């Protein structure tokens, strides 16, 4: 049974994150964005609140909240700025939640615990300069030599790359399968900052999310102990896709918060700005844009909530999460564009936040599976070309043991 009512705990998490973002980030975010500056102290504050392990079981250093709470936190964070939600997507969604499902007990103790406590920051290295949507086209290799693997390759468009301590990396362990594009030749590894041959960099010149860190990293003969392999050899592609089920969920919930931010800003401006002797809110074409934002917000929220409910039950939710991601990101793109339109010339300047919302919304329509990938997936499910099988592992169902 789906219950639409938030629990006391959900409301508490929502309020805590809302207050944090309003007090600790909102007053400075325009400046950080203008200066293209990632403020590391925000990570420490998020760690203090337990956000960096919000839905990780307490026995692994997390806060033990459910996946609805994760979604609520993402909504509230992106209401203020997308860069905050990206931290949740990459550190919590793609990295911690993937490890919570796929890592061994020993690996969880060693890597997940400090990540969930926020003592270490994680990132997810799948994308490469020539491989984005086509994930099996990655070129990175991991060659087994005795008790370790030697990794080589380049990763690009990696959020948090230049601030992360822990890197969840995907590379080919079977070079014959790589040639045949057989995903069962790919494996996943944990790398750590400081390993010889691992170097990171920040990418400059981005359209949006300028208060966030987006980077790249290179692996030049990085020796990685065999015990750092996550899952079995050959399970890397599945682990990457599983990670994206979690990352896409956080993107969907965050984009929902961005729609709400556009709606709130647009309502306030439309009610106070006068033209032709009345508030522009009274014009039907403005009302239409407001109405679309309302519909975008409500549908996006219902979709990510359903995905969260499935996650709580430990039920596979690849289809539902991908749908939520597509719908919410599209809604946020339209809402941001309309919010600028409602603000007129003021919307075109950084005097109002909608200019930042407009630049920030675009990345989510591209990353963690572009709009086109999400649409193809939905069509393939509907046509019977794609089906979700039961997986060897699932997220820890909530309540946690
Ligand atoms: N969880 C677990 N296993 C999964 C899975 C999931 N969500 N999805 C697929 N699998 C498994 C399948 O069961 C299948 O296993 P078997 O061979 O045993 O049956 C295997 O993986 C292959 O699955 P598919 O045949 O479905 O794979 P596909 O080739 O059809 O996938 C695709 C195509 C959907 C387009 C996929 O390649 C895709 O999602 N691409 C987009 C990648 C993406 O989102 N990249 C962005 C990364 S973001 C980033 O890296 C930047 C950052 O900072 C985070």
């Amino acid at each position: 049974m789906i219950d639409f009512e938030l629990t006391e705990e959900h409301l508490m998490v929502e309020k805590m994150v809302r207050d944090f973002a309003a007090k600790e980030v909102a007053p400075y975010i325009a400046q950080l964005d203008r200066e293209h500056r990632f403020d590391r102290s925000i990570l420490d504050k998020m760690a203090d609140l337990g956000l960096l392990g919000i839905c990780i079981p307490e026995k692994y250093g997390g806060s033990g909240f459910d996946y609805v709470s994760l979604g609520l936190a993402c909504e509230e964070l992106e209401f203020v700025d997308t860069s905050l939600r990206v931290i949740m997507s990459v550190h919590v969604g793609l990295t911690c939640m993937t490890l919570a499902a796929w890592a061994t007990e020993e690996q969880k103790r060693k890597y997940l615990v400090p990540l969930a406590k926020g003592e270490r920051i994680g990132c997810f290295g799948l994308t490469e300069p020539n491989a984005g949507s086509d994930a099996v086209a990655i070129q990175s290799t991991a060659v087994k030599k005795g008790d370790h693997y030697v990794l080589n390759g380049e990763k690009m468009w990696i959020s948090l790359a230049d601030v992360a301590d822990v890197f969840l990396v995907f590379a080919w362990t079977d070079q014959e399968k790589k040639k045949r594009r057989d995903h069962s030749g790919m494996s996943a590894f944990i790398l750590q900052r400081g390993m010889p041959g691992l170097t990171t960099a920040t990418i400059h010149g981005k359209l949006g999310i300028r208060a966030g860190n987006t980077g790249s990293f290179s692996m030049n003969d990085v020796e990685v102990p065999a015990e750092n392999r996550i899952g079995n050899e050959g399970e890397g592609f599945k682990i990457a896709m599983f990670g994206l089920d979690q990352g896409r969920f956080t993107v969907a919930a965050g984009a929902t918060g961005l729609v709400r931010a556009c709606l709130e800003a647009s309502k306030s401006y439309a009610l106070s700005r006068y033209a032709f002797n009345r508030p522009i809110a009274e014009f039907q074409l403005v009302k239409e844009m407001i109405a679309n934002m309302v519909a975008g917000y409500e549908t996006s929220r219902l979709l990510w909530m359903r995905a969260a409910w499935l996650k709580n039950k430990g039920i596979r939710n690849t289809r539902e999460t991908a749908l939520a991601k597509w719908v919410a990101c599209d809604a946020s793109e339209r809402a941001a564009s309309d919010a600028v339109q409602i603000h007129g010339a003021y919307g075109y300047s950084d005097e109002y936040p909608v200019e930042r919302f407009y630049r920030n919304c675009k990345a989510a329509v591209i990353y963690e599976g572009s709009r086109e990938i999400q649409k193809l997936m939905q069509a393939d499910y509907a046509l019977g070309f794609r089906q979700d099988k039961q997986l060897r592992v699932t997220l820890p169902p909530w309540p946690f043991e």
Side-chain angles (χ1 to χ4, degrees):
M1 191 186 74
I2 295 184
D3 187 347
F4 288 101
E5 206 170 339
L6 296 180
T7 63
E8 289 290 312
E9 200 166 75
H10 292 145
L11 292 169
M12 188 272 290
V13 169
E14 188 179 55
K15 182 175 176 339
M16 175 186 78
V17 182
R18 184 175 294 174
D19 290 349
F20 156 73
K23 185 164 156 262
E24 302 284 348
V25 186
Y28 318 104
I29 193 63
Q31 191 64 22
L32 292 175
D33 187 82
R34 213 174 278 136
E35 293 171 3
H36 295 240
R37 187 151 60 86
F38 180 81
D39 180 358
R40 230 200 129 103
S41 72
I42 291 174
L43 288 176
D44 299 332
K45 290 173 188 161
M46 288 171 76
D48 287 346
L49 291 177
L51 293 178
L52 298 184
I54 184 168
C55 57
I56 302 300
E58 285 170 282
K59 69 174 172 179
Y60 298 123
S63 303
F65 292 114
D66 73 345
Y67 303 106
V68 173
S69 303
L70 169 67
L72 292 170
C74 290
E75 244 202 68
E76 292 306 323
L77 291 170
E78 190 151 359
F79 181 79
V80 169
D81 195 65
T82 304
S83 62
L84 297 174
R85 191 271 305 150
V86 170
I87 294 168
M88 301 298 282
S89 295
V90 175
H91 174 88
V92 181
L94 291 171
T95 310
C96 290
M97 290 168 76
T98 306
L99 294 179
W102 289 86
T104 62
E105 193 59 28
E106 202 181 336
Q107 289 169 332
K108 284 180 194 164
R109 298 261 159 241
K110 189 164 177 194
Y111 297 108
L112 180 57
V113 169
L115 285 167
K117 287 182 176 171
E119 294 165 359
R120 297 269 184 281
I121 297 301
C123 75
F124 183 86
L126 177 64
T127 301
E128 298 187 356
N130 292 310
S133 296
D134 185 7
V136 283
I138 65 167
Q139 293 299 311
S140 293
T141 54
V143 177
K144 185 108 189 265
K145 293 230 167 104
D147 62 354
H148 62 269
Y149 290 84
V150 178
L151 270 76
N152 279 286
E154 300 284 329
K155 298 291 176 180
M156 198 178 182
W157 306 117
I158 307 301
S159 307
L160 303 181
D162 218 13
V163 295
D165 310 288
V166 172
F167 302 72
L168 180 55
V169 174
F170 302 89
W172 290 98
T173 36
D174 186 323
Q175 309 315 318
E176 284 307 311
K177 288 186 175 173
K178 175 182 178 218
K179 284 185 207 147
R180 297 202 304 270
R181 291 174 52 93
D182 175 348
H183 70 81
S184 69
M186 207 185 278
S187 303
F189 300 90
I190 287 281
L191 274 64
Q192 285 184 276
R193 186 173 291 282
M195 284 181 166
L198 174 66
T199 50
T200 66
T202 293
I203 295 172
H204 298 285
K206 290 180 298 177
L207 171 70
I209 322 186
R210 293 178 175 173
N213 179 264
T214 309
S216 58
F217 63 88
S218 299
M219 299 173 290
N220 280 305
D221 291 331
V222 182
E223 290 191 7
V224 180
E227 70 241 28
N228 281 28
R229 196 191 63 231
I230 303 296
N232 297 326
E233 238 188 47
E235 285 188 313
F237 186 81
K238 292 183 187 182
I239 296 172
M241 292 300 125
F242 177 94
L244 286 164
D245 285 350
Q246 321 319 323
R248 287 172 186 166
F249 170 78
T250 61
V251 174
T256 308
L258 186 53
V259 177
R260 180 155 53 83
C262 292
L263 176 60
E264 292 304 314
S266 300
K267 278 190 325 194
S268 147
Y269 188 83
L271 289 166
S272 59
R273 170 77 183 189
Y274 276 68
F276 307 100
N277 284 332
R278 46 186 149 143
I280 61 169
E282 290 182 15
F283 292 108
Q284 286 186 334
L285 294 178
V286 171
K287 285 186 185 176
E288 185 191 31
M289 290 189 270
I290 299 280
N292 282 335
M293 289 181 204
V294 172
Y297 177 69
E298 299 279 353
T299 45
S300 302
R301 186 161 164 120
L302 285 172
L303 286 174
W304 78 246
M305 285 252 178
R306 178 178 61 166
W309 180 79
L310 291 169
K311 286 180 196 295
N312 277 351
K313 300 250 172 240
I315 299 170
R316 183 156 174 196
N317 51 86
T318 304
R319 185 183 76 82
E320 294 80 3
T321 293
L323 182 62
K325 198 260 179 191
W326 163 32
V327 170
C329 292
D330 264 15
S332 71
E333 195 180 18
R334 181 161 68 167
S337 172
D338 284 349
V340 170
Q341 194 69 21
I342 288 172
H343 284 68
Y346 288 104
Y348 200 66
S349 91
D350 68 2
E351 197 180 328
Y352 283 84
V354 292
E355 173 265 354
R356 179 165 44 86
F357 299 160
Y358 189 45
R359 287 186 290 100
N360 280 354
C361 72
K362 190 63 197 177
V365 187
I366 299 170
Y367 60 36
E368 299 215 27
S370 63
R371 166 171 48 219
E372 290 67 31
I373 290 290
Q374 313 303 333
K375 282 190 182 180
L376 289 175
M377 287 175 72
Q378 294 309 319
D380 286 348
Y381 280 120
L383 291 163
F385 299 158
R386 170 178 289 278
Q387 273 155 6
D388 286 347
K389 294 184 200 151
Q390 191 57 38
L391 294 173
R392 180 168 77 77
V393 303
T394 63
L395 276 179
W398 196 87
F400 301 133
E401 281 173 7

